[in-house]
Amino acid sequence: MNLQKNILLSLYQEHKKAQAKLHKLNYLFWECTLRCNFNCVHCGSDCTRENIVPDMPKEDFLQILSDIRPHVDPHKTMIVLTGGEPLVRKDLEEVGREIYKMEYPWGFVTNGWGLSQERLDALLHAGLRSVTVSLDGYTEASHEWFRGKKGSWLRALNAISRVAGTPGLVYDVVTCVNKKNIDDLRNLKSMLISLEVKHWRLFTVFPKGRAKDNPLLKLSTHEFVQMMEFIRETREEGKINLSYGCEGYLADYEMEVRDAPFFCQAGVHIASVLANGDISACPSLRGDYIQGNIYKDDFWAVWNTRYQVMRDRRWTKTGKCATCKSYKFCQGNGLHLRDEKTGELLHCHLEMMGQLQPQIKRRSVLSKAVSFFT
């Protein structure tokens, strides 16, 4: 790593420490259902159509938003509905209207199947501010293999076209990169540009849920670096705003493939209420990461007095992390990449691409420094 980037990342660590102490709540996820109309090969929560956990009554979550409103700036606290598939809830518009009345911006993550123009219009009327739509292949075959639903590719494309064509709506398209679609990224990029999509995000599967033992979902070192190079080249090209997800520290690719350095904000700026009332950070953090339950605990008290396992990451300096020279920047990687019971690191981005790192081109990034701290 060059000296300029090393200095910038070192400064950023002090920023992260300060943010952990402040722990301002910026994003609150609600896992509003575990029901889903798809059967995705990677699903971390193993959602099914008839899940044993019933949907949480909307009144229970809305009460949380009402309770915390005196303690936050609602205009700067984003509420994100996730699942399962949020659109299977028939009362999503009612939920949205109540969130909007409390002056919180809100959005949701969807597979696009149920996002007809009529449904989108109704949600916009209920105050919808943002949408994330998943598209996982350039072809019908690759997307529908991943999502487990015939007809889902075209539905996703139609949903993407609708949100991209809605003035004022914040949106992005997310793609899970795997062995079946890695070589189609350039074609997928061209297709999204033709749909006038401006915001695209790539991520890779973490080894949990159904993805744990599926070799088609894990990229090789060569494939991972191929993806990094593709993102960097696309960003330089400037035709579509592409970035890699926030899931891990990327060494020389830091600030090359995302807008800001790696920062796992779970429990620092991000909290979630899961379908059964459990209080966590990102919805993917379950097990021993659960900090309480809304049916037993006061949410705001939990946010202010717990989450130490996420705000002080020194406990992660074990195993392969104990002797890693990049630990001061990585701090044990994203928490969702660790075993929820043992804390063991399940996936390391540096380990994945380490043997090719000497070949990575280095560029000056000091000019970007100011934006990361504002």
Side-chain angles (χ1 to χ4, degrees), residues 41-46 146 176-177 203-219 224 244 247-248 284-285 320 332-349 351-352:
V41 297
H42 74 302
C43 186
S45 55
D46 200 25
F146 189 80
C176 182
V177 183
F203 67 97
T204 44
V205 173
F206 50 92
K208 292 183 180 179
R210 298 175 189 168
K212 186 176 181 182
D213 301 311
N214 191 329
L216 292 175
L217 298 179
K218 184 178 180 180
L219 300 181
F224 189 85
Y244 183 61
E247 60 193 66
S284 58
L285 293 179
K320 64 185 72 174
N333 223 335
L335 292 181
H336 67 289
L337 299 174
R338 291 183 168 271
D339 186 274
E340 293 162 351
K341 296 294 183 183
T342 67
E344 176 190 0
L345 184 63
L346 302 175
H347 183 79
C348 173
H349 293 75
E351 188 176 53
M352 170 176 280

Side-chain angles (χ1 to χ4, degrees), residues 204-236:
T204 44
V205 173
F206 50 92
K208 292 183 180 179
R210 298 175 189 168
K212 186 176 181 182
D213 301 311
N214 191 329
L216 292 175
L217 298 179
K218 184 178 180 180
L219 300 181
S220 67
T221 294
H222 174 76
E223 290 167 334
F224 189 85
V225 173
Q226 175 187 338
M227 179 184 66
M228 291 290 108
E229 289 294 324
F230 169 75
I231 296 172
R232 188 167 69 178
E233 291 168 8
T234 299
R235 287 169 68 86
E236 291 176 346

